[in-house]
């Protein structure tokens, strides 16, 4: 029995020694390990600001780094132990290619990386004034509508990359409708830079975080709208006019009680030769405003029996008159757009050659001059417009040639 115990002890000792040797040898074997998602640290970003520049984007935010070393050491390495540096010093506006600086702990060796270079976009740093536009956030009853009286600031400075600041259409001040009551009060509202679609624009700084908005909740009332339209039968044109019949206004209940209708400024359509829509300008009593759904009322005008033709001319269509003797005049390059309106049968055969333009330079001395441009024609049209109304004419004096001297020698 004792002999067996000794044998077992020897066997166990041998196994323990063998296991220790295996672990020692294995731990000290060289092996490769890849550490993923090692973040890229950006340095010297302040040097861009000093040059009036700003970092717009970097092609990668992290990389994978491969290291080599003893198994026991590589297994201890975490991504926080590896430094990947992107140095922005000396970069210029536009696209830059930058070499990453990679360092690993002393007990392991750097082998490779998923990316050694990154693309860096640098933009001009700008500051621009943008309008503050208060808006209403939330829903109210159909009988009421909030009225924004004023904001304590009209504009705010927006700073950032030029390409991003250019996207900022305005700075929104969204007012929570639940904070608006029946009496005037000033409400602090946070500002949000937005694009033309009303979506928030990130990565810009604004000089003010909030604005004070004075608002009140008003009652609404819909009443008849009286609009007088004149000139519907001028120049043989058949004009059909569609006028809005009602308008919704808002104000205090005591003021709205006395309003039974609203009149608007008279609209003259005698100069209208194409289908169009003209704005209605209501004459509102003091303390009354047009409700949101009535702020862009239009009178629609449909025109029949008339036609519009457009022609384009260059400087060769301009005749310069009144040139001083011994002078010449030249016309700078110009693009003249002529719009002609008349009855369909009169315009049907127009080619554009029926028109020409005159610039009168009578009494003008040599030099560069802005001269009125006059359109000449032989027809009769309901309306004729052209742009530009002035052109640039250069007047030069003709130099007399001096007689040639007789170079022959006397015999």
């Amino acid at each position: 029995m004792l002999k067996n115990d000794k044998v077992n002890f020897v066997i166990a000792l041998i196994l323990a020694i063998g296991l220790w040797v295996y672990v020692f040898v294995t731990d000290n074997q060289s092996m490769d390990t890849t550490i993923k998602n090692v973040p890229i640290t950006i340095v010297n970003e302040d040097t861009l600001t000093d040059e009036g520049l700003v970092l717009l984007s970097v092609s990668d935010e992290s990389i994978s780094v491969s290291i080599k070393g003893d198994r026991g050491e590589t297994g201890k390495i975490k991504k926080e132990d590896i430094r990947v540096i992107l140095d922005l010093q000396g970069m210029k506006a536009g696209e830059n290619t930058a070499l990453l600086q990679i360092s690993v702990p002393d007990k392991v060796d750097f082998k490779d990386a998923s990316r050694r270079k990154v693309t860096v976009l640098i933009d001009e740093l700008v500051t621009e004034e943008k309008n503050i536009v208060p808006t209403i956030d939330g829903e109210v009853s159909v009988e009421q509508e909030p009225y924004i009286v004023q904001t304590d600031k009209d504009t705010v400075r927006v700073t950032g990359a030029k390409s991003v600041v250019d996207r900022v259409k305005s700075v929104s001040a969204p007012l929570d409708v639940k904070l608006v009551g029946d009496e005037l009060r000033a409400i602090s509202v946070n500002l949000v830079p937005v694009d033309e679609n009303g979506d928030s624009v990130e990565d810009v700084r604004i000089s003010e975080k909030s604005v004070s908005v004075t608002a009140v909740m008003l009652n609404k009332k819909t009443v008849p709208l009286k609009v007088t339209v004149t000139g519907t039968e001028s120049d043989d044109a058949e004009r059909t006019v569609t006028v809005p019949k009602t308008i919704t206004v808002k104000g205090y209940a005591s003021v709205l009680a006395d309003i039974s209708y609203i009149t608007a400024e008279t609209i003259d359509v005698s100069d209208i030769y194409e289908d169009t829509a003209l704005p209605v300008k209501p004459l509102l009593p003091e303390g009354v405003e047009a409700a949101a759904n009535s702020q862009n009322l239009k009178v629609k005008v449909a025109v029949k029996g008339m036609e519009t033709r457009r022609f384009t001319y260059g400087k060769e269509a301009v005749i310069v008159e009144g040139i001083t003797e011994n002078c010449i005049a030249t016309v700078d390059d110009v693009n003249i757009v002529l719009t002609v309106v008349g009855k369909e049968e009169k315009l049907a055969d127009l080619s554009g050659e029926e028109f020409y333009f005159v610039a009168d330079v009578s009494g003008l001395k040599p030099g560069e001059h802005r001269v009125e441009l006059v359109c000449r024609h032989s027809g009769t049209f309901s309306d004729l417009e052209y742009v530009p109304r002035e052109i640039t004419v250069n007047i030069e004096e003709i130099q007399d040639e001096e007689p040639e001297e007789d170079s022959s020698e006397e015999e």
Side-chain angles (χ1 to χ4, degrees), residues 244-271:
K245 302 299 183 183
T246 62
I247 183 173
T248 301
V249 293
K250 59 186 178 183
Y252 289 111
S254 58
V255 177
L256 296 182
D258 297 329
I259 297 177
S260 57
Y261 65 90
I262 294 292
T263 59
E265 293 182 5
T266 299
I267 296 178
D268 183 6
V269 298
S270 59
D271 292 333

Side-chain angles (χ1 to χ4, degrees), residues 10 20 57 148 321 377-378:
V10 171
W20 179 85
S57 66
I148 296 175
E321 296 181 345
H377 57 89
S378 58

